[in-house]
Amino acid sequence: MAPPSVKQHVFAPWNDPDAKPLIRIEGVSKSFGDFSAVNKVDLDIYPGEFFSLLGASGCGKTTLLRMLAGFEIPSEGSISIDGVDMTDIPPYERPVNMMFQSYALFPHMTVEQNVAFGLKQDRMPKARIAERVKAVLDLVQMSSLAARKPQQLSGGQRQRVALARCLAKEPKVLLLDEPLAALDKKLREQTQLELVNIQDRVGITFVMVTHDQEEAMTMSARIGVMNAGSIEQVGTPVEIYEYPATTFVADFIGTANMFDGVVALDEQSHTVVDCQELDARLVVGHSSGVAVGAPVTVMVRPEKMMVQREPPEERVNCAHGVVSDIAYLGDISIYHVRLASGRKVQVALTNLRHTSEQRLTWDDEVYLTWHPANSLVLVQ
Amino acid sequence: MKNRAIALYSALGFGYAFLYLPIVLLVIYSFNASRLVTVWGGVSTKWYGELLADEKILDAAWLSLKVAVLNATISTFLGTLAAVVLVRFRRFAGRTLFTGMITAPLVMPEIITGLAMLLLFVAMEQTFGWPAGRSMTTIVIAHVTFSLSFVTVVVQSRLAQMDVSLEEAAMDLGARPVKVFLVITLPIIAPALLAGWLLSFTLSIDDVVISSFVTGPGSTTLPIVIFSKVRLGVSPEINALASIVVAIVSIGILIFGIIVQRQEAERVRSLKTASDRG
Ligand SMILES: Nc1ncnc2c1ncn2[C@@H]1O[C@H](COP(=O)(O)OP(=O)(O)OP(=O)(O)O)[C@@H](O)[C@H]1O
Ligand SMILES: [Mg+2]
């Protein structure tokens, strides 16, 4: 399951044993009373990275981000940034800036004054401040509205000003709490790419919180998937989607068909799993590393399944059922196939042609098959 | 439909007449040329002129003004501090108790507050000789004790509405806590401070009951002068004086109302934009 070998020009400092992380989070926990919001998180984030924290609502993403910014003190563990322990450093002395979900623009100041605020605190000379403010406002294309008050801006414009205000300080790390949540879908997609471009140009490390998996996949170099206060897996979007480490990650990122079974054979090159529900043997193209008889879950993504009407010759990696629901999405269709056990499996097929008689319809009897290399064993 | 509108307007008219007719009459009679209050003798402003020549009244007015300004300023300062502590320092023992206690003077009968203040001043004077007798100082202290609560309530609600992330953002951008308060929090809650100041000013300038307990010889406020003069009989001079007080208090209340209304409109607007975005 090793990711493809790293080429020199690919940005992947996390694979380089000599690379020094910019942010080092070690054993960090945070409890509010007896409720544990963040639980023993270990995480290294490298300079220049675009890192996303992804997870469902209430899983502790904001809390972790606020600990990086210094608004919350970890109950346990330590955070260091650029080699400096942050435990006793207040928010106003940390080399990080945070972009708030509500943007938190100062209502009594103009766009220009908002952006200049951070620079003034650094006692930068007036002329330099003006220069810098202009440069960042140009970067986010807001120069023409510099004299406006925040109330006179649209949501997207406010978002840009908030970004400019953080960038102006040239922090080592920029923390973004759901920066695009307030934008409508179209603007959000456009802004995603823009934000990545800006990050590329300024070279600042971005740590972004989001609960939108598509957004995380589009923008990040690496993603940390959080669940109930813990980080379940850290990896590139490809790793997380193709090789999820746990059933939670498999289920949270995209759609996953999961079949429970027990290991019947574990070889270097493949694993055989007995699945009672499917009444079939499942062959998975990698070693599971657990003993024969251990309970495991086999995961297959909907788009990796093939559909046929005739029974396959071998009853291996095969499921049999009837089409119970069809979701036509234009480019693809999602078929919900009900198995004999009553469970539903999702299959995604590309709509290669215009309407044809060949297409599956409700109550069609189908056989689903997949290649051993396209499935994954997840150990509980 | 029409009948209903007529009924509505007459009800409204009757209600407001009930409230304001006495005051309107008072103002009208202050322009009465006749010395007899109940007999109309033509329009004249001579009582206003006579008022300006009355040394005693002018002194009282000047004292009242000084007390009101001092009271408003001190109350606003202390009330704001109290509000900040109650709203921003989230967890401390007995917070609910303190919140309740700060609003208690709002409903305390004035006569009790006055009596209590008098007892305190006498006890203090006997114990460590300060304040020596009843004077402007004691009046101001007494007024602050009740005005303070009003300021706290007004500032508290404004502060509670304010987005805490504004303060956090300022701190994140490198401002120390004291600076954050001065350049972010204070300007944003400034309308509430002004409203609180005006409210304490008007409360102080028309107070009779509490003042009469803690006042001493040579420190008589305007309402007390009016009150004692009226007991000897209503004079057109007093009508004129009362009209001036009415004017000052109305202006104060009017400005207070405008500020509060604007604040509310702004809150509704920001809620609206927030929901538009969300
Ligand atoms: N100051 C606090 N006091 C008590 N509990 C808190 C506090 N802040 C957060 N929590 C709790 O900690 C948990 C994690 O909160 P957090 O804000 O980090 O979630 P999140 O992952 O950012 O969620 P969302 O996607 O909804 O923003 C929540 O259950 C929340 O109720
Ligand atoms: Mg959050």
Side-chain angles (χ1 to χ4, degrees):
Chain A
M1 219 205 317
S5 69
V6 185
K7 289 189 210 112
Q8 276 304 303
H9 62 273
V10 173
F11 176 79
W14 46 89
N15 287 328
D16 177 359
D18 296 333
K20 265 178 96 184
L22 180 64
I23 304 174
R24 173 149 258 184
I25 301 174
E26 286 174 304
V28 164
S29 299
K30 174 75 192 177
S31 343
F32 296 106
D34 50 9
F35 173 77
S36 156
V38 170
N39 209 344
K40 299 211 177 54
V41 166
D42 289 298
L43 189 61
D44 284 346
I45 296 172
Y46 293 86
E49 208 183 335
F50 197 126
F51 191 94
S52 291
L53 285 167
L54 177 63
S57 185
C59 70
K61 306 174 300 272
T62 300
T63 307
L64 187 56
L65 207 65
R66 288 172 59 83
M67 285 194 278
L68 287 174
F71 298 127
E72 307 280 1
I73 316 281
S75 315
E76 258 173 67
S78 72
I79 294 174
S80 63
I81 297 175
D82 212 10
V84 182
D85 184 18
M86 287 288 131
T87 309
D88 296 321
I89 302 196
Y92 45 86
E93 280 169 8
R94 296 195 181 200
V96 304
N97 281 129
M98 177 145 165
M99 189 175 145
F100 290 79
Q101 187 169 350
S102 58
Y103 304 145
L105 296 176
F106 307 133
H108 56 299
M109 298 184 189
T110 62
V111 166
E112 207 167 6
Q113 289 165 334
N114 262 284
V115 177
F117 184 87
L119 302 172
K120 272 196 201 151
Q121 310 310 314
D122 293 347
R123 296 179 199 284
M124 194 186 257
K126 274 223 171 79
R128 291 247 341 264
I129 292 182
E131 223 170 86
R132 181 99 194 102
V133 168
K134 193 178 171 315
V136 285
L137 284 179
D138 279 344
L139 185 70
V140 299
Q141 299 167 14
M142 282 295 294
S143 307
S144 56
L145 302 177
R148 289 227 188 143
K149 289 275 182 73
Q151 299 91 297
Q152 301 164 313
L153 300 176
S154 73
Q157 291 166 338
R158 281 180 211 180
Q159 188 258 353
R160 284 153 192 273
V161 177
L163 179 65
R165 190 174 68 177
C166 297
L167 288 174
K169 295 260 299 185
E170 297 183 299
K172 287 182 181 146
V173 183
L174 188 60
L175 308 171
L176 306 106
D177 191 357
E178 312 221 11
L180 309 177
L183 308 183
D184 60 61
K185 191 165 187 293
K186 194 113 192 264
L187 189 57
R188 189 161 66 220
E189 280 167 6
Q190 188 187 325
T191 316
Q192 283 172 0
L193 295 177
E194 234 171 79
L195 204 55
V196 173
N197 280 336
I198 288 176
Q199 194 257 346
D200 214 34
R201 258 187 285 167
V202 296
I204 294 172
T205 308
F206 277 35
V207 180
M208 181 179 83
V209 158
T210 176
H211 60 253
D212 180 341
Q213 49 140 325
E214 250 174 67
E215 187 169 294
M217 306 274 272
T218 313
M219 300 172 75
S220 341
R222 281 192 310 158
I223 299 172
V225 183
M226 285 187 78
N227 177 26
S230 314
I231 293 206
E232 294 249 339
Q233 184 176 9
V234 176
T236 62
V238 174
E239 283 166 7
I240 293 219
Y241 185 79
E242 302 291 350
Y243 308 104
T246 63
T247 50
F248 174 82
V249 176
D251 208 31
F252 192 75
I253 312 285
T255 315
N257 296 310
M258 293 198 258
F259 307 104
D260 295 334
V262 290
V263 175
L265 182 70
D266 185 35
E267 295 273 314
Q268 187 73 33
S269 63
H270 64 278
T271 308
V272 178
V273 175
D274 268 333
C275 178
Q276 267 201 330
E277 188 183 8
L278 295 182
D279 195 19
R281 304 212 114 180
L282 304 182
V283 179
V284 182
H286 66 90
S287 163
S288 65
V290 293
V292 170
V296 290
T297 303
V298 174
M299 193 274 297
V300 192
R301 294 281 185 200
E303 75 281 5
K304 303 219 162 53
M305 288 190 162
M306 291 168 290
V307 181
Q308 58 191 69
R309 290 171 192 270
E310 294 77 38
E313 283 140 40
E314 264 188 301
R315 299 279 289 167
V316 166
N317 287 359
C318 171
H320 173 227
V322 289
V323 176
S324 69
D325 265 313
I326 303 172
Y328 175 74
L329 302 180
D331 48 350
I332 59 165
S333 290
I334 312 275
Y335 297 90
H336 294 250
V337 175
R338 195 172 49 237
L339 306 183
S341 63
R343 131 119 82 169
K344 282 187 183 171
V345 171
Q346 288 191 35
V347 188
L349 295 181
T350 313
N351 295 323
L352 293 174
R353 296 190 207 116
H354 291 284
T355 48
S356 75
E357 288 88 63
Q358 287 295 304
R359 187 169 287 164
L360 295 172
T361 177
W362 284 270
D363 294 333
D364 277 1
E365 206 174 323
V366 291
Y367 293 87
L368 310 173
T369 60
W370 58 90
H371 193 271
N374 287 336
S375 58
L376 200 69
V377 174
L378 300 171
V379 180
Q380 270 96 1
Chain B
M1 204 64 227
K2 195 139 182 245
N3 283 342
R4 217 183 119 160
I6 292 172
L8 260 175
Y9 277 114
S10 38
L12 197 70
F14 184 76
Y16 274 81
F18 192 80
L19 286 175
Y20 286 100
L21 204 57
I23 294 176
V24 172
L25 268 181
L26 178 112
V27 175
I28 292 173
Y29 273 107
S30 73
F31 292 103
N32 187 359
S34 158
R35 173 153 277 286
L36 292 166
V37 173
T38 45
V39 180
W40 185 254
V43 177
S44 150
T45 53
K46 75 172 172 196
W47 304 117
Y48 286 89
E50 229 160 82
L51 205 58
L52 289 178
D54 189 329
E55 198 81 9
K56 203 173 162 207
I57 284 181
L58 283 183
D59 283 349
W62 178 232
L63 180 78
S64 272
L65 198 66
K66 278 193 289 187
V67 169
V69 169
L70 265 177
N71 164 59
T73 309
I74 297 172
S75 301
T76 305
F77 181 73
L78 293 179
T80 304
L81 286 188
V84 168
V85 172
L86 289 177
V87 178
R88 282 292 183 264
F89 289 69
R90 264 163 250 173
R91 286 175 290 255
F92 66 89
R95 189 191 137 162
T96 323
L97 181 69
F98 279 107
T99 312
M101 275 167 65
I102 205 97
T103 48
L106 296 180
V107 291
M108 188 77 75
E110 280 190 321
I111 213 150
I112 293 179
T113 310
L115 191 61
M117 291 309 297
L118 178 62
L119 283 175
L120 175 76
F121 291 139
V122 171
M124 277 171 69
E125 193 181 3
Q126 281 171 356
T127 321
F128 28 78
W130 186 90
R134 251 62 66 217
S135 61
M136 187 172 111
T137 318
T138 52
I139 300 176
V140 171
I141 294 174
H143 282 194
V144 167
T145 53
F146 71 88
S147 308
L148 177 67
S149 312
F150 288 88
V151 176
T152 308
V153 170
V154 173
V155 176
Q156 217 178 356
S157 82
R158 175 72 180 175
L159 212 50
Q161 280 165 23
M162 185 183 159
D163 184 3
V164 187
S165 61
L166 290 176
E167 289 169 1
E168 287 179 343
M171 211 186 279
D172 186 63
L173 291 165
R176 287 160 178 281
V178 174
K179 179 130 193 221
V180 171
F181 182 77
L182 293 178
V183 299
I184 303 295
T185 315
L186 217 46
I188 291 174
I189 62 168
L193 298 197
L194 184 57
W197 194 95
L198 283 168
L199 193 58
S200 350
F201 180 88
T202 43
L203 283 172
S204 164
I205 211 153
D206 64 9
D207 174 75
V208 185
V209 181
I210 293 176
S211 302
S212 59
F213 276 97
V214 296
T215 187
S219 57
T220 324
T221 61
L222 195 54
I224 294 180
V225 170
I226 296 178
F227 198 64
S228 52
K229 271 189 184 271
V230 166
R231 274 196 304 197
L232 304 176
V234 182
S235 69
E237 207 176 283
I238 289 299
N239 283 349
L241 181 58
S243 300
I244 294 175
V245 174
V246 166
I248 292 174
V249 172
S250 313
I251 290 170
I253 293 290
L254 196 69
I255 299 177
F256 171 79
I258 291 171
I259 293 167
V260 170
Q261 200 183 18
R262 266 215 219 139
Q263 216 170 300
E264 185 58 22
E266 188 186 309
R267 196 174 68 89
V268 170
R269 203 169 49 228
S270 71
L271 278 182
K272 199 168 159 293
T273 51
S275 67
D276 282 352
R277 282 187 284 133

